[in-house]
Amino acid sequence: MAALDKPDWLTDDFLKSCLESDGEQITQNVIEISHSIEHAVSPGNNYGSVMFRVNIIYKKLGSDSEHSLSLIVKAPIEQSQCSEEGKKLSNEGCMIEQRYYSEFISNTFDLMKHNIVPKHYKSPHPGCIVLEDLKSLGYEMVDRHKMLDFDHCQLYIKASAKLHALSMVLYETRPEIFETVLNRSQDLLELYEKITRFTVLGSFRCMATFLEGKSGCEKYLNILKEAIDNELFLDVFEENNHLNHPLVALTQNDPWCANMMFKYDNNGNVIDIKIFDFQLVELSPPLKEFMTFVWISADQNVRETKLNDLYKLYCKSLKANLAELGYQKSIVLRDLESEIVTWSPLILYRICMNVPVSLADEKVQLKDYFNGNILEMESVKESPVYKTVFEGTTFNKLYLKFFQQIDKLGVFENIKKMLDQAKSKRNHV
């Protein structure tokens, strides 16, 4: 575990302000407070921020009784090992997440009572998110290498569908909330565009290097090489990201299994979920998030045998929540096969970029992706990102299944057609 680098602003006064913002009687009129701090998550389970678990002991005015509370304090990355690009993403991402809780989540409670996300406290420090400590409430994080079985996936799908429905209804009546939450600087938008290019081409280049000479992977390798050639895949990916989809919701946009925690009964059965980490939220088709979740968080058995069941559950849950909220517009949800065709470029990107990071045996150094160095190297095998991911034991054990599964679903054929169309468009310009 890395050394604890406590921010200067994380003081007793800061914590007192957070407690008293809650409005609950138990946290009012705090007069004495002390605290201790530790890392909240293990390396490799968090990349966009630093997270502290703060254990607080406090007294209230007129009482000698001591009260205790544990909070999670999340702040932008400041460590020297992070790239400048990473710091910028972290700073603005934390500001966005703070607004997500204070503006969006707070207003959803007027529509429906729910507990999908952790309780949040008002932070006196800009860009800092303060949440209840789910671990102290009995929630656990799953092993990201094992990913999520069907029971865990069902809980996520139901919770995600509810958040999507709430955003769709709120967007109809309070669109200004979304303008506030999603306000991003022009510099950040340009940085997103640049980093998207780096991560798409960089992850494809690393994966193509990894697949070289591996028996049975020739088809996958050829597609990746064609995708990288003249950056052709970027045309396909850009078009895919700007589809004029009739269904749009506020989505987390980062639904990997380290961004959720689960509670279990005495028999070990999973019974509840909390979703967190909203630095990358966007207004986008909710099926884009569904596809992302399936390929970066669901386990092998779910991907092979329960994909259609999950999709039906999502559609059913979304419609049920919209009906309960009195949503008047009719929605049309296509069959799963059609959605897979649509989102094939996204699926391949997630498998080349997100899945390797999730399966890494140690925390991945992403600098070479974020600053574009990965595209300039004569051999990507010398890059720390390649060494920590593509040479890892867990990744090498599991990667082939992902390619075989999406191949069976026709993803490579879909992408081949899209690349051919993109090439034809370029030739006619």
Side-chain angles (χ1 to χ4, degrees):
M1 186 74 74
L4 192 65
D5 189 12
K6 175 186 172 182
D8 293 338
W9 47 262
L10 213 172
T11 63
D12 287 348
D13 287 340
F14 170 89
L15 297 169
K16 181 177 183 292
S17 177
C18 293
L19 290 177
E20 293 186 337
S21 75
D22 182 30
E24 297 289 340
Q25 186 64 32
I26 192 66
T27 56
Q28 300 305 297
N29 301 314
V30 174
I31 57 170
E32 292 183 31
I33 190 168
S34 63
H35 69 277
S36 61
I37 301 177
E38 60 188 79
H39 287 290
V41 295
S42 302
N45 282 342
N46 179 54
Y47 286 91
S49 63
V50 290
M51 297 178 67
F52 304 100
R53 173 170 289 106
V54 184
N55 301 301
I56 305 168
I57 296 176
Y58 66 96
K59 290 183 180 180
K60 297 172 56 180
L61 182 66
S63 172
D64 290 330
S65 300
E66 284 189 342
H67 304 271
S68 62
L69 184 68
S70 182
L71 298 177
I72 297 297
V73 177
K74 180 177 181 179
I77 296 172
E78 295 293 343
Q79 293 100 320
S80 58
Q81 66 264 32
C82 178
S83 67
E84 284 302 313
E85 293 82 2
K87 288 181 182 178
K88 289 178 182 178
L89 288 176
S90 180
N91 281 325
E92 289 222 35
C94 284
M95 293 289 287
I96 289 167
E97 183 168 14
Q98 189 181 56
R99 297 195 298 267
Y100 178 87
Y101 282 106
S102 63
E103 299 294 332
F104 172 67
I105 290 297
S106 294
N107 279 285
T108 62
F109 294 132
D110 294 333
L111 301 175
M112 176 190 287
K113 299 303 177 186
H114 65 85
N115 60 353
I116 308 168
V117 302
K119 177 181 178 180
H120 68 280
Y121 295 77
K122 186 176 180 180
S123 167
H125 186 77
C128 169
I129 301 98
V130 181
L131 306 170
E132 64 181 351
D133 181 7
L134 296 177
K135 185 176 180 180
S136 71
L137 300 175
Y139 288 82
E140 302 175 25
M141 191 172 286
V142 299
D143 183 339
R144 58 188 167 85
H145 290 163
K146 294 181 179 178
M147 309 179 88
L148 303 179
D149 65 18
F150 189 59
D151 289 340
H152 288 79
C153 287
Q154 287 186 97
L155 283 176
Y156 169 80
I157 289 298
K158 291 176 182 178
S160 175
K162 183 168 288 188
L163 280 177
H164 292 165
L166 285 164
S167 74
M168 290 169 66
V169 172
L170 199 58
Y171 189 60
E172 290 292 311
T173 56
R174 301 283 304 280
E176 71 279 3
I177 291 173
F178 297 80
E179 293 177 10
T180 300
V181 171
L182 297 171
N183 182 32
R184 289 176 165 98
S185 69
Q186 185 59 37
D187 284 348
L188 185 66
L189 294 175
E190 292 174 1
L191 182 59
Y192 273 143
E193 185 176 344
K194 184 168 67 172
I195 289 179
T196 296
R197 174 177 174 268
F198 293 159
T199 56
V200 169
L201 298 177
S203 63
F204 278 29
R205 187 182 179 202
C206 284
M207 188 65 78
T209 300
F210 176 77
L211 293 176
E212 285 278 4
K214 287 187 168 52
S215 178
C217 295
E218 295 82 7
K219 176 180 180 180
Y220 318 141
L221 177 61
N222 290 336
I223 288 290
L224 289 173
K225 284 183 174 180
E226 185 177 352
I228 298 169
D229 187 36
N230 294 318
E231 302 186 0
L232 189 62
F233 186 80
L234 289 180
D235 294 359
V236 173
F237 196 65
E238 180 72 11
E239 184 175 336
N240 196 235
N241 275 334
H242 292 88
L243 289 173
N244 186 20
H245 203 286
L247 204 60
V248 175
L250 187 64
T251 62
Q252 182 193 24
N253 195 28
D254 193 19
W256 76 312
C257 52
N259 286 341
M260 55 196 78
M261 292 178 74
F262 299 88
K263 182 177 276 191
Y264 302 85
D265 65 18
N266 293 333
N267 296 318
N269 301 309
V270 62
I271 56 174
D272 196 21
I273 183 176
K274 298 280 191 182
I275 302 174
F276 50 87
D277 199 332
F278 297 94
Q279 290 178 246
L280 299 177
V281 290
E282 65 175 8
L283 273 176
S284 63
L287 270 302
K288 178 182 177 183
E289 180 149 278
F290 174 88
M291 290 296 172
T292 298
F293 168 77
V294 165
W295 294 105
I296 69 175
S297 291
D299 70 15
Q300 177 183 331
N301 182 61
V302 172
R303 297 192 307 269
E304 285 186 346
T305 67
K306 298 290 187 179
L307 199 54
N308 204 49
D309 292 337
L310 268 191
Y311 182 67
K312 288 179 180 178
L313 177 62
Y314 176 79
C315 296
K316 180 181 178 181
S317 299
L318 181 65
K319 289 180 178 179
N321 280 292
L322 288 172
E324 183 178 347
L325 292 165
Y327 189 72
Q328 298 298 317
K329 291 185 177 180
S330 61
I331 63 170
V332 177
L333 294 165
R334 304 185 303 172
D335 59 88
L336 178 61
E337 290 74 17
S338 298
E339 293 295 345
I340 288 174
V341 171
T342 296
W343 297 111
S344 287
L346 174 76
I347 292 170
L348 183 59
Y349 170 64
R350 294 303 188 190
I351 285 178
C352 289
M353 175 63 197
N354 298 80
V355 170
V357 173
S358 181
L359 295 179
D361 296 323
E362 56 187 279
K363 185 165 185 175
V364 181
Q365 298 302 319
L366 295 170
K367 275 186 180 181
D368 289 338
Y369 275 163
F370 285 170
N371 60 24
N373 286 349
I374 198 74
L375 304 181
E376 307 300 327
M377 294 179 174
E378 186 173 339
S379 172
V380 296
K381 289 184 177 181
E382 300 305 313
S383 168
V385 70
Y386 188 91
K387 291 178 179 178
T388 55
V389 173
F390 295 88
E391 294 178 0
T393 301
T394 305
F395 172 76
N396 274 265
K397 179 181 176 182
L398 299 175
Y399 83 94
L400 186 57
K401 284 292 182 183
F402 287 89
F403 281 101
Q404 291 172 339
Q405 286 165 350
I406 66 171
D407 189 12
K408 187 176 179 180
L409 292 170
V411 168
F412 287 104
E413 282 74 15
N414 299 334
I415 290 176
K416 174 61 177 169
K417 292 176 183 177
M418 293 176 185
L419 290 173
D420 289 343
Q421 291 169 357
K423 193 179 299 182
S424 178
K425 286 181 181 179
R426 282 192 181 186
N427 292 336
H428 286 86
V429 172

